[in-house]
Amino acid sequence: MTIDPNRNVPRQSSVHFAPISVPLERRLQTLMVLAHTLSIALFLSIYFLLCSIPLFWPLLFPYTIYVLLSPAPHSGQLSHRSPLLRSLPIWSLFASYFPARLHRPARLDPTRKYIFGYHPHGIISHGAFAAFATEALGFSQLFPGITNTLLTLDNNFRVPLYRDYALAMGLASVSRESCENILRKGGTNSEGMGRAITIVIGGARESLDAQPHTLRLVLKRRKGFVKLAIRTGADLVPVLAFGENDLYDQVTGETHPMVHKFQLMVKRCMGFTIPLFHARGVFNYDVGLMPYRKPLDIVTGRPVKVVQSQVVDERYVDEVHGMYVRELERIWEEWRDRFDVDPRIRLEVVE
């Protein structure tokens, strides 16, 4: 009879749990990131809970119609924006979780208008939210006189209750109508001067390439934002977020090609996709949908000056696009050593 020498040796769990004695501040940081990550699901749950109570039906029915028909997400008026909500101390807890920092090497003229291009998309673009949807990183102090609006998918403004929260945080639709309205209305001269929008250029397609220790930017054929800048006379400001791709792990196309093809099909049909990602949990360090606690350093580049024209010349589009890409590459080369980026990592501009 053979006896297994390891029979009575307890196996070590591959899941590492957080200690009970974690400081309260770190617990609050985790709570804020969790609330933001699940915000759409939380607001939808509240809405359906209210729908289950007949007493609220006379209010919910007209409200739902209003949500579906309201022009607020793309009107450009920013009338629902709440500076108080954007400046609450809770957002400092959110930013401190990683921690996130916003770096501004070059000042921007508040009498101009701007399009900030955020790279990379990552899984959820936590850095874009912290830097441009809240005052946690001091955007108003770093860029005085500039009102910046973070843009997101139009469908997000069809989600009851979440839509009101997003508008109060200063978010708007990424549709062409919304972009042009924001950059042509309001501001210091009622023609958009002093206004800015932030677009996560790579979009849902780039989220599928969000792998730790990589930086693949879906940018080569993305020129719509350049044409928008030319039509509206907005200067382009490249933004590079060091660490955004390191916040989650996800299934790769190399190891699961069928899954990757399905994700691309969903992207073509629905306009968004579903990355299969994981990171850490609320009470453990190995399993869950919470992002890893890794530094996020968001660097804004020098503005690429654009000459306004209602007739868009493709050669000029290519010229401006090239200057934009070169400025992104300059940011990468100039700042990567400051943030101890692995020297084996290369910035790749694809598609």
Side-chain angles (χ1 to χ4, degrees), residues 17-78:
F17 290 93
I20 298 176
S21 59
V22 171
L24 176 61
E25 183 178 4
R26 288 178 68 86
R27 290 296 190 199
L28 293 176
Q29 292 169 357
T30 301
L31 177 63
M32 282 310 305
V33 174
L34 177 66
H36 171 66
T37 303
L38 300 178
S39 55
I40 293 181
L42 289 173
F43 281 109
L44 265 181
S45 299
I46 295 172
Y47 175 76
F48 286 124
L49 175 62
L50 295 175
C51 287
S52 68
I53 304 174
L55 180 65
F56 291 104
W57 290 356
L59 297 175
L60 291 175
F61 180 74
Y63 170 74
T64 304
I65 299 298
Y66 169 73
V67 168
L68 295 176
L69 300 179
S70 171
H74 44 79
S75 68
Q77 296 178 358
L78 309 182

Side-chain angles (χ1 to χ4, degrees), residues 100-115:
R101 291 175 290 266
L102 179 60
H103 306 267
R104 183 220 57 189
R107 295 180 179 273
L108 298 183
D109 182 356
T111 63
R112 299 283 295 172
K113 59 181 79 169
Y114 301 94
I115 297 176

